[in-house]
Amino acid sequence: MRTMVEHAIETEGLVKVYRGRGGEVRALDGVDLRVPRGVLFGLFGPNGSGKTTLISVLIGLQLPTSGSARVLGFDSVRESLEIRRRVGVLPENYGFYEHMTARENLEYLGRLDGMPARELKRRVSEVLELVGLKEWADAKVKGFSRGMTQRLALAQALLKDPELLLLDEPTLGLDPQSVALFKGLMEELVKQGKTILVSTHLLQELGHICTHAALIRRGRILAQGSLQELSKAYREARGYGYEISVAAGAEELVRELRGIEGVTYVALENDVIRVRARQDVTEQLSSIASKYRVRSLVPLAPSWDELYRFYQGERE
Amino acid sequence: MMEKILVVARKEVLENLRSARYWGLVALFVLFYVASTYAIGFAIRGFGATLAGRQRVVLQLSTNVVNAFAYIAPLLGIALGFGAVAAEREKGTIRLVLSRPIYRDDLLNGKLIAAVVLIVAALALSTLIAVPLAVALQGVNVTAEDFARLLLLLAPALLLALAYYSISLFTSVNASRSSHALMVSLVLWIFFTFVLPIVASLIAFHVLGPPPAITFRPNATRPFQPGQEPAQLREYFQKYSQIVRTVQLASPNARFQELSSALFATRQQTGAYEELSKVLSSHWIDVAVLAAYIAAFLLLSYIFFLRRQETR
C-alpha cells in the first residue's frame, strides 16, 4: 500500500549478496538511503560500488537478500509493478530493437507502460523532440551513434512523464554536446518538480548539477545529504577555505588577516588571497575586507571529488 | 494484463515477419516440400491409376512430406525460441522491457502466442505454395481429401515445432548468450533426428542379430511381391520395428512421424483414409508425448525466468 512520504526513495539495511562458484559478493552491504522529493540526487561511486545493483533492487529487477526499500511509498518487493508504473528508468547496459525505428521502439515500450494509444503518439513525438531526435524518429536504431542511442534511452525513460527518474550512468561515453543536453534536461525536469536519482562515477561531469548526493563504496553509503550538509563535516575536519580578490592594499590586508583567531594559512598570489581557517571566519573576513578595495570574497566549497575522498578516508 | 501479452505478441510477429531468418526458413520449407513431391511424379508414372497404385502414391506423398516436415518444423521452433530471452538479454532490451510494469510470465506468454502464429503461418504458407506447385509441375493428382489430410498434417507439425520451441525457450531463459541457447537446441535436434534412430537400429540389431537368410528364385527381378514376404522375415522386422519404436518412445521426431504417417494410412480394400477418431485413439501416446514436451519445457521456462534475477 502506498503511503505519502517526504522521501522519494527510502531504504533500510538493504543487503544484496551474490553467491557464485567464486564465493560470496556483497554488492549492497546495509544501504540506508534517503532521497528527498524534487531534487537532483547524485549516487556517486566508482565502478563496482553497487550503484547499478541498488537501482535494480529499487525497481524490483532484483530481490534484496535482506533489508527493505520503498520507492514513492511502494515496497520494492511486493509492489514493484506499482513502482515501475511511476518510475522512468535509464538502465546501464540497455539496448534497443535495432531493426525497429526510434518511434517504433518508443511506441512498443509505451504500450508496455500501458499508455493509451492517442496519448502515446503525442508523447512519443514530444520526447523525441525534447532529446533532439525528431528528425531521426523514423530511422532504424541500427544506424544510431552512441550519443543518439543514449538520447533515445533518455526519451524512453521520460515517455510516461514519471514522478521519479532513475538514471544509471547517463553520460557514459557521450560527447560534450550530448552531456550538456543531458544536464540541461535534468535541471529543467527538477524545476518541474520531478525527482531524479543519477548514478555516476564521473563526479566532475555531473557533480556540480546535483544538490544532494550519496557517496557509495563497496556497497556501503559513506555519506549522504545536501552539498552544504556534507561540506560541513569536511570543513570541520579539513578547515574552511576562502578566496579574496583584491584591487589594492593586498599586503596590508594579508597582515590583518593573519591576526584573526583560528586562521591557519594566508597566501597572496596575483592579487588573490587564499585563506584557510580552523573554524568559520566568514563574518570576521567580511568585516575586515569591507575596509579594503575587495572585488570578491568567496567561501570555497569542496568539490564532490574532494568530499568523496574525504568520506572514504573517514570510513577506511 | 491480456493487453500487454498481445502487445508483446504483436511486436514479436512483426519483428519476425521483417527478418530474413524467418523468410529463409519458409523458403527452405517450400523447397523441401516441392522437392519431396518431385519424386511423386515418378511414382504416378510407375504405379498408374489402379487402387494399389493410388495407395502407393499416397504412401510416397505422405512419407516425403512428413520427412520434410520432420526436418524443418523443429528448425522453425528452434529459430523462434533460442533468441526469445537470451538475445534480449544479450542486446540489453530485456532491461528496458522489465523496467516497465509488466509481469515476466506475460512477456513469455506474448512470445509463445507469437511463436504459434508464426509457426502456423509458415506451415500453412508452405503447404499452400507447394501443393499447387506440385500439381502444376509434377501432375500430382491431389484430391480434396488428400489436400484435407495435408492440411491436417499441420497439427502434428505444429506440435513438433512447439516442442522444439519450448526446449529452445528453456535454453534461452537460462543462457546469457543466444549462441549458447542455439547450440544446445541444435545438439538436441541432431540427437533426436540423426543419432537416436541410428542408436535404436544398432540396439535392435544387437538384440535380434542379423536378419534371417532368404533363398531367392534364380533370375528373379524381385525377391517377392509386396505382402508376400516369408513369415520368418516379417516376424524379424516386426520385432525390429518394435525395438526401434521403444527406444525412440521419448523422441519428439519419432512421435511426430508415427502420428503423421497414421494420418495418411489408407484402408486396404477401399483406399480411403482411416477415420480421424481411429487415428487419434490408436496414436494418443504420440500426441501425449509431444504435448508433454511442450508443457514440461514451457513450465520450466516460466519457473526459471520468474526466479532469475537479471544482473547484467
Side-chain angles (χ1 to χ4, degrees):
Chain A
M1 205 180 103
R2 190 183 194 185
T3 49
M4 279 314 291
V5 286
E6 59 173 317
H7 292 110
I9 300 170
E10 242 177 314
T11 73
E12 270 184 38
L14 210 55
V15 173
K16 178 69 194 176
V17 178
Y18 295 118
R19 291 181 181 92
R21 284 176 199 159
E24 253 187 29
V25 176
R26 291 179 85 80
L28 298 176
D29 194 3
V31 170
D32 295 314
L33 182 71
R34 305 274 180 279
V35 177
R37 283 176 181 269
V39 302
L40 184 42
F41 192 98
L43 182 62
F44 299 145
N47 289 331
S49 56
K51 304 186 298 291
T52 299
T53 304
L54 178 58
I55 289 179
S56 293
V57 169
L58 289 178
I59 57 170
L61 273 189
Q62 293 186 50
L63 300 175
T65 308
S66 64
S68 66
R70 293 190 83 80
V71 178
L72 300 172
F74 293 102
D75 184 272
S76 72
V77 175
R78 282 174 286 118
E79 297 163 308
S80 65
L81 209 66
E82 291 303 323
I83 293 172
R84 296 201 293 269
R85 245 188 259 284
R86 292 165 173 82
V87 177
V89 186
L90 192 167
E92 203 189 8
N93 302 325
Y94 65 85
F96 285 99
Y97 299 98
E98 293 189 334
H99 294 285
M100 286 162 60
T101 66
R103 190 190 301 280
E104 285 169 344
N105 267 285
L106 292 183
E107 282 177 353
Y108 174 56
L109 295 170
R111 284 190 201 107
L112 292 182
D113 277 327
M115 294 174 72
R118 191 173 288 180
E119 189 198 333
L120 177 62
K121 207 173 173 185
R122 178 186 56 79
R123 190 67 191 147
V124 164
S125 299
E126 266 177 24
V127 291
L128 282 171
E129 188 163 7
L130 201 64
V131 299
L133 286 177
K134 194 182 169 188
E135 287 173 26
W136 299 88
D138 297 310
K140 284 188 178 171
V141 174
K142 200 176 183 180
F144 278 20
S145 67
R146 164 81 187 158
M148 289 163 78
T149 312
Q150 194 76 341
R151 287 177 191 210
L152 187 59
L154 181 62
Q156 65 79 30
L158 295 172
L159 202 54
K160 59 190 160 201
D161 197 16
E163 296 173 57
L164 170 67
L165 276 160
L166 305 177
L167 311 177
D168 196 359
E169 301 279 6
T171 58
L172 195 65
L174 289 189
D175 57 88
Q177 197 188 345
S178 299
V179 172
L181 175 103
F182 259 73
K183 287 200 261 190
L185 268 175
M186 283 192 264
E187 286 175 319
E188 184 55 39
L189 289 165
V190 171
K191 276 183 202 159
Q192 290 172 15
K194 313 258 183 235
T195 308
I196 302 179
L197 180 134
V198 55
S199 101
T200 185
H201 69 281
L202 304 167
L203 274 67
Q204 286 167 332
E205 199 164 80
L206 291 175
H208 67 277
I209 60 166
C210 296
T211 53
H212 295 66
L215 312 174
I216 186 168
R217 184 172 163 81
R218 291 180 186 160
R220 288 181 185 181
I221 300 287
L222 300 174
Q224 62 182 308
S226 66
L227 183 59
Q228 288 79 8
E229 287 163 350
L230 293 176
S231 299
K232 201 176 166 196
Y234 173 89
R235 283 175 171 141
E236 278 163 11
R238 296 273 167 96
Y240 289 69
Y242 302 89
E243 241 179 39
I244 306 167
S245 175
V246 191
E251 285 172 8
E252 204 177 324
L253 177 58
V254 166
R255 273 196 295 278
E256 209 169 330
L257 292 175
R258 282 187 178 136
I260 299 173
E261 197 191 334
V263 168
T264 55
Y265 172 85
V266 181
L268 172 66
E269 197 183 321
N270 300 330
D271 297 334
V272 175
I273 303 169
R274 290 199 170 77
V275 180
R276 292 204 76 82
R278 276 192 297 273
Q279 71 264 18
D280 188 356
V281 290
T282 316
E283 276 184 27
Q284 292 95 312
L285 287 183
S286 302
S287 156
I288 294 170
S290 65
K291 296 187 278 180
Y292 294 84
R293 288 179 61 196
V294 167
R295 291 194 199 101
S296 62
L297 190 163
V298 184
L300 293 176
S303 67
W304 285 113
D305 247 339
E306 286 170 317
L307 286 174
Y308 192 90
R309 282 196 296 273
F310 167 71
Y311 282 104
Q312 186 184 329
E314 287 272 291
R315 284 289 184 98
E316 290 172 2
Chain B
M1 280 297 153
M2 192 62 197
E3 194 189 321
K4 301 246 170 104
I5 296 173
L6 294 178
V7 168
V8 175
R10 182 173 174 267
K11 178 243 147 201
E12 291 288 324
V13 169
L14 290 177
E15 207 183 13
N16 273 287
L17 289 181
R18 284 181 193 174
S19 77
R21 188 170 68 195
Y22 180 75
W23 289 110
L25 273 167
V26 174
L28 196 66
F29 227 142
V30 173
L31 201 71
F32 253 74
Y33 211 140
V34 172
S36 65
T37 56
Y38 185 75
I40 296 162
F42 293 108
I44 293 163
R45 286 184 281 276
F47 298 121
T50 61
L51 176 58
R54 180 185 141 66
Q55 283 171 335
R56 286 269 152 183
V57 170
V58 167
L59 181 68
Q60 184 136 19
L61 174 81
S62 65
T63 308
N64 291 347
V65 172
V66 166
N67 280 342
F69 273 52
Y71 282 112
I72 305 295
L75 290 180
L76 190 61
I78 291 172
L80 293 169
F82 81 91
V85 176
E88 295 236 25
R89 196 174 281 136
E90 212 167 33
K91 291 177 197 157
T93 47
I94 201 152
R95 294 191 74 83
L96 291 184
V97 169
L98 294 182
S99 66
R100 262 58 221 184
I102 179 171
Y103 291 113
R104 289 183 180 210
D105 45 356
D106 284 350
L107 187 65
L108 290 193
N109 287 337
K111 284 176 183 284
L112 177 64
I113 290 173
V116 172
V117 170
L118 289 162
I119 290 167
V120 169
L123 295 173
L125 205 62
S126 54
T127 305
L128 293 177
I129 292 172
V131 173
L133 267 179
V135 172
L137 300 177
Q138 301 300 324
V140 177
N141 180 21
V142 178
T143 63
E145 212 184 351
D146 294 336
F147 190 65
R149 287 283 155 155
L150 283 171
L151 285 180
L152 262 179
L153 181 63
L154 299 188
L158 173 66
L159 287 179
L160 179 66
L162 278 179
Y164 275 94
Y165 173 81
S166 311
I167 293 170
S168 302
L169 182 68
F170 176 66
T171 61
S172 190
V173 160
N174 291 291
S176 51
R177 287 179 177 277
S178 55
S179 54
H180 294 169
L182 177 63
M183 221 172 343
V184 174
S185 307
L186 285 179
V187 165
L188 280 170
W189 176 68
I190 289 168
F191 175 76
F192 284 128
T193 311
F194 303 106
V195 180
L196 195 59
I198 295 170
V199 170
S201 292
L202 288 175
I203 291 173
F205 279 128
H206 183 75
V207 172
L208 299 173
I214 306 291
T215 316
F216 296 115
R217 283 175 286 116
N219 303 324
T221 51
R222 284 181 172 212
F224 32 73
Q225 290 303 310
Q228 291 172 1
E229 306 89 344
Q232 202 183 353
L233 194 64
R234 202 180 307 138
E235 198 183 322
Y236 176 88
F237 280 108
Q238 270 172 358
K239 281 183 185 166
Y240 173 87
S241 300
Q242 209 170 358
I243 294 171
V244 167
R245 200 171 290 156
T246 310
V247 174
Q248 294 196 84
L249 188 68
S251 160
N253 299 47
R255 302 286 49 87
F256 163 76
Q257 279 179 315
E258 292 272 335
L259 179 62
S260 303
S261 302
L263 279 178
F264 288 95
T266 52
R267 291 181 201 143
Q268 282 289 334
Q269 293 81 11
T270 59
Y273 287 112
E274 282 291 357
E275 280 172 24
L276 200 57
S277 55
K278 202 172 173 189
V279 171
L280 282 175
S281 64
S282 58
H283 286 271
W284 64 269
I285 186 82
D286 299 324
V287 178
V289 170
L290 287 169
Y293 265 99
I294 298 169
F297 280 97
L298 279 182
L299 187 68
L300 287 172
S301 302
Y302 281 88
I303 292 170
F304 278 72
F305 188 51
L306 290 180
R307 284 189 180 174
R308 186 171 168 128
Q309 300 193 34
E310 300 299 333
T311 52
R312 269 161 47 103

